[in-house]
Amino acid sequence: MPEEPKEAPPPGAPRRGRRIRNALLAIDSWIDSTIYTGGVRLRAAWDSYVAFTERFNLQGPARWGVEVASEAVTWGAVGAVLMLTLALPAFQETSDDWLKRADLSVTFLDRYGNTIGERGIRHNDTVPLEEFPDHLIKAVLATEDRRFYDHFGIDVPGTFRALLSNARAGGVVQGGSSITQQLAKNLFLSNERTLERKIKEAFLALWLEFHLTKNQILKLYLDRAYMGGGTFGVDAAAQYYFGKSARDVNLAEAAMLAGLFKAPSKFAPHVNLPAARGRASVVLDNLVDAGFMTEGQVFGARRHPATPIDRKREDVPEYYLDYAFEQVKSIVATLPKDYAERSFVVRTALDPNIQKAADTAIRDSLKQFGKDYGATQSAMVVMEPNGAVRAMVGGRDYGESQFNRATDALRQPGSSFKPYVYTAALMTGKYKPDTMVLDAPLCIGNWCPQNYGHSYAGRLPLITALTRSLNTVAVRLAESIGRGRIVDLAHAMGVKSELKITRALPLGAAEVTVMDQATAYCVFANGGYAVQPHAVIDMRTPAGDPVWNFAQEGEKPKRVIPPEVIDMINPMLNSVVEHGTGRRAIIPGVKVAGKTGTTNAYRDAWFVGFTGNYAAAIWFGNDDYTPTRRMTGGSLPAMTWQKVLAFAHQGIEIKPTPGLDGHPAPTSNASAQASLLEIDGVKRPVTLSPDSAEQLMGLSARMKEAARAPLPGPSASLESDRVLAGRDPDTPATGSN
């Protein structure tokens, strides 16, 4: 086939193509020329630079000097940048008004206004430096920083000397921090032993030396250092340990105070007097070694060492005060940021009589039966149904262990968790106390729960199943209503701990605290309202100005269980006490309801119960989770609970327990009647009602105001009336005392 003729190019096309090619070639030529020309000029410039620098070429020692100087400048610049990077975080600590920083100082009163203890700092910085005794200043300098007035904030020779001594000893035997460094740590940093903290400490020491004089630094150090016993500063320590101002301490007392800077908890004289005196002797040696005093001058202090005031008090509710202090700190955190007051007087809900009864009962129970049962620890919380914490025991001995087992220890509650399961089931409307349920073997996967005793009762009423604490019934209820519903109810009632949803949840496999259990059972005691557990009733400044009051600002009760369900569950829990595993908790003349709890291998034993007046939880076990010797919740826990609550109900109006009106209280049980009369040979005093107590406290306030007035007159009377009218009463929502 003949080829088709090609289309002819349009006129002018070859000419445009040539122009484009020529333009691209011109651009390429320009680029090549520019690069070449630039290279030639750069080479010429380099040759000129080399020729210029050849004029400064040095030989011999002069050359090495220039090289070293150049390297020094280079690495100095790198070091300066590095130091600035490290210094910035340290200097950020000084961004606020650091001189006004202060920790809390709280004086605690019981519910009746009597002082029960203190927490936080004891601090007095009003003594001028020139009024401190010369021997006290010398004792501090000789022991802490002999070259204080000679160094620039960091004692370099002293630091190297301390490092050498520690290396020879194979441990820390001598500190190398100057007084300025220690002050920097006290003012701005924590006590953590990290390289970052030491770097910050060094920079802040230099910062302090730049901004303050040596005397100002020394004064701050003497005023801000922790001295043990909750005291900060030598004057507060002198008042606490010797009952006198730092102005008046003798050489022996000054040596003992100076020895506290190193380790106040170890050398505090009210804790370990022999160690404190040994440390004071070291301080006297330092005075002689430093040349500040002669051996003859310190001889008298060696022969007659200081004797501190006896600060041992066995009746201080230490665990309760720790708990109340944490609440105070939480409240202070909610105050306006510009609120400057750091000292408070706090009235708590503590009932000293119940507290003493709880301490005594637990101590006696562990002493008498602890070895037989293989139990070494216990914890207890007693509350009124409105959430006011009347007593708390966090362990058998606060001196041995400050860990609060009532608020911080997580333990399995065992069957004392079952009331949440039964209540949740009743709230569905599908179950009643007389609903027939099945007690028979069952398995969920490869897990087959069994009853205590490995026996089964067949079909029986729900109330009987709870009275007998049957495990299979609790598991069947949880499967019927859903475990999530149980967890939601327990949290709504006041359990703060995390509850993991497992198959064994209805048998109390999740971990809770004693406080959790006492708080949640308050809901049964007050008729269905969730309450906020609280130790703090009222906070004021030392001058009496109101700061915070639970009645006005505390969390309000919230209904979480309908009254008709309370009318069903409380008789069931009362049946546990009167006919089931909790019979040893019976209090003659008082309707008691509650539940025992025992965990696998008998590691934990509980009794949690309530009346119309109180709700209380008690736990026995061991800190290391070792099993007890077959201790159950119905044995020692129920017995001890009964002793404390029987004592607590003396001399007060017995309130009816919600849901149990019309049910006669048990009058048998001779041992219960005997324990009702006294604890440790002491009867409980008759307890005033809240109104009566408030009237007496108001009268006391008026009398104090009148005593302070120079002349009695209308103004004094009006002022005392104002104080009385302004007092916020501790009025419980329920309960009588």
Side-chain angles (χ1 to χ4, degrees), residues 199-210:
I199 292 173
K200 286 184 177 180
E201 180 183 289
F203 281 113
L204 289 170
L206 298 176
W207 187 89
L208 286 172
E209 290 278 346
F210 180 77

Side-chain angles (χ1 to χ4, degrees), residues 682-696:
V682 179
K683 277 192 173 184
R684 184 186 181 192
V686 176
T687 304
L688 296 171
S689 67
D691 289 341
S692 299
E694 292 302 328
Q695 290 179 21
L696 285 178

Side-chain angles (χ1 to χ4, degrees), residues 329-638:
K329 289 192 287 188
S330 298
I331 293 169
V332 171
T334 66
L335 298 177
K337 292 184 179 180
D338 58 349
Y339 191 83
E341 182 65 57
R342 305 294 290 175
S343 181
F344 303 98
V345 177
V346 174
R347 186 161 65 97
T348 69
L350 179 81
D351 187 311
N353 298 313
I354 300 178
Q355 179 66 48
K356 184 177 181 180
D359 286 330
T360 303
I362 286 178
R363 183 182 64 246
D364 291 350
S365 292
L366 287 172
K367 182 178 180 180
Q368 185 175 359
F369 301 107
K371 188 174 182 180
D372 295 336
Y373 278 113
T376 59
Q377 282 294 351
S378 179
M380 186 176 192
V381 173
V382 181
M383 303 171 64
E384 283 201 358
N386 66 344
V389 181
R390 296 304 185 194
M392 176 183 293
V393 180
R396 69 182 302 166
D397 189 339
Y398 186 86
E400 293 179 359
S401 171
Q402 291 78 51
F403 178 68
N404 194 333
R405 295 157 188 83
T407 59
D408 300 329
L410 290 170
R411 308 296 297 227
Q412 291 184 345
S415 293
S416 66
F417 189 84
K418 289 178 181 175
Y420 312 136
V421 180
Y422 280 76
T423 303
L426 294 172
M427 290 175 66
T428 64
K430 300 190 327 186
Y431 296 92
K432 303 291 182 185
D434 56 357
T435 300
M436 300 301 292
V437 293
L438 179 62
D439 175 31
L442 83 158
C443 291
I444 302 175
N446 59 355
W447 180 64
C448 301
Q450 295 181 341
N451 293 326
Y452 184 80
H454 307 288
S455 61
Y456 303 93
R459 295 186 64 81
L460 73 170
L462 195 66
I463 185 173
T464 305
L466 181 58
T467 301
R468 297 174 59 179
S469 194
L470 301 176
N471 289 338
T472 63
V473 174
V475 174
R476 291 181 192 275
L477 289 175
E479 291 299 302
S480 173
I481 65 176
R483 303 186 194 102
R485 188 190 298 268
I486 299 168
V487 170
D488 292 341
L489 176 63
H491 284 157
M493 293 175 66
V495 175
K496 302 298 184 184
S497 304
E498 179 186 2
L499 300 175
K500 295 182 179 179
I501 299 180
T502 63
R503 293 174 296 184
L505 172 73
L507 304 184
E511 294 179 327
V512 298
T513 66
V514 177
M515 177 62 75
D516 284 336
Q517 292 291 80
T519 303
Y521 274 60
C522 279
V523 180
F524 299 130
N526 64 33
Y529 291 90
V531 295
Q532 177 69 23
H534 57 280
V536 177
I537 298 298
D538 182 80
M539 282 179 58
R540 295 177 181 268
T541 66
D545 299 325
V547 176
W548 188 90
N549 183 274
F550 182 83
Q552 279 75 43
E553 302 177 66
E555 186 174 324
K556 306 305 179 186
K558 179 182 178 182
R559 178 171 288 281
V560 294
I561 300 178
E564 59 272 17
V565 175
I566 290 292
D567 289 341
M568 290 187 284
I569 187 63
N570 280 5
M572 296 170 68
L573 294 173
N574 173 250
S575 178
V576 173
V577 174
E578 296 190 5
H579 309 294
T581 57
R583 285 188 290 270
R584 288 176 175 170
I586 291 176
I587 301 175
V590 181
K591 297 298 292 186
V592 177
K595 188 70 186 73
T596 58
T598 309
T599 62
N600 288 338
Y602 302 95
R603 287 186 173 87
D604 305 282
W606 297 72
F607 184 80
V608 190
F610 59 94
T611 68
N613 295 81
Y614 299 103
I618 191 169
W619 164 86
F620 281 86
N622 297 301
D623 285 341
D624 59 1
Y625 292 90
T626 54
T628 65
R629 296 190 182 95
R630 301 184 67 83
M631 177 188 291
T632 64
S635 59
L636 194 58

Side-chain angles (χ1 to χ4, degrees), residues 634-662:
S635 59
L636 194 58
M639 293 166 54
T640 309
W641 188 97
Q642 193 273 345
K643 286 183 179 180
V644 178
L645 272 295
F647 184 89
H649 282 82
Q650 294 186 38
I652 64 173
E653 175 189 356
I654 305 301
K655 296 291 185 180
T657 305
L660 299 182
D661 293 341

Side-chain angles (χ1 to χ4, degrees), residues 67-90:
E67 292 287 346
V68 170
S70 299
E71 291 295 324
V73 171
T74 302
W75 288 107
V78 173
V81 173
L82 178 61
M83 290 185 65
L84 181 61
T85 304
L86 295 174
L88 286 176

